[in-house]
Amino acid sequence: MTNSFAGKTEKFLPAILIALLSIIWGSSFILIKKGLDSFNAVQVGSLRIVFACLALLPLALKHIRHVSLKKLGLISFSGFAGTLIPAILFSLAEEGIGSGLTGILNSLTPLFTLIVGALLFRYEMKLVQLLGIILGFAGCAGLSFVNNQGALGNFNHFALYVIIATFLYGINGNFIKKYLSDFPPHILASLALLSIGPAALILLLSGDFFHRLATIEGAWMSAFYVFLLGAAGTALAMALFNKLLYMTTPVFASIVTYTIPIVAVLWGILDGESFFTLHLAGMGLIILGVLIVNKNR
């Protein structure tokens, strides 16, 4: 009986992991928004990294002595380009666009990964993948012009922060594949966070973070939301995603790409954000584009 239950649990575990990852990563955008209730974008982004660094610090300290200085330099670049700068950019974006829309635009990451791989790392791109990229960016362009009434208006420049962040994700993904693929993902993540943790701490302490924490009502709750963002959204999610990759394949694991924006939008709606037909159309185009790109890898 016990073996039968364990077997059934193992069978459904990949689907359970997809659901958990969708909730954790999809919730990160509303957590950013809650952090911004009391702190500015740089403080939210840097505090997020400090918490994530602390969560994985024991793992990083255990393995850092086995890494060469050259590799540490490469890991540091990955940490800045793929983690610290995007964390701040996403926070900057949510100062002007909703958390749900930010979550949708985050889905551009696989498209930029393909583009950067083809342009800078000379990976092959199929013609049908180019179609997927065009569809994805058409959806992105449309979303960037949707105004507060649900109609097309002026370009919202805050969307550019997300676009730049996902472009950096694309660079980092290809950089890791080419130069750091010999590192297990959890060790690489811990070392990258260790390399950028001091810079994040300096950014955090250079402003009025502690003054806000002491004087703004609800600041401690905002800090707790950012703690969840850093510790759960980075450390826990990384462990779950590694487990998913071990049990399945990268193609199956990529399903989470399509479910994250759905969770982000639902959180946004629950928090009072507007979601219009044009938002749905833009999200559909981006997800369709990502689907075409992933299917033809």
Side-chain angles (χ1 to χ4, degrees), residues 106-120:
N106 178 66
S107 298
L108 292 171
T109 299
L111 305 184
F112 274 122
T113 301
L114 179 63
I115 292 171
V116 172
L119 295 179
L120 301 183

Side-chain angles (χ1 to χ4, degrees), residues 143-207:
L143 288 172
S144 301
F145 284 92
V146 179
N147 59 28
N148 294 331
Q149 287 73 46
L152 292 177
N154 296 324
F155 179 77
N156 189 335
H157 73 275
F158 286 95
L160 281 176
Y161 292 123
V162 184
I163 295 171
I164 295 170
T166 53
F167 174 69
L168 289 173
Y169 281 160
I171 291 176
N172 188 51
N174 284 284
F175 184 83
I176 289 174
K177 182 177 180 180
K178 187 171 181 64
Y179 299 110
L180 298 170
S181 59
D182 52 330
F183 283 87
H186 60 294
I187 295 175
L188 177 60
S190 68
L191 293 173
L193 286 167
L194 179 62
S195 72
I196 61 176
L201 184 60
I202 291 171
L203 283 173
L204 184 65
L205 298 180
S206 63

Side-chain angles (χ1 to χ4, degrees), residues 59-78:
L59 183 63
L61 294 177
K62 178 181 178 181
H63 292 279
I64 191 171
R65 62 181 181 273
H66 303 299
V67 184
S68 67
L69 287 176
K70 179 181 178 181
K71 284 291 187 179
L72 283 175
L74 296 175
I75 291 171
S76 181
F77 173 82
S78 174

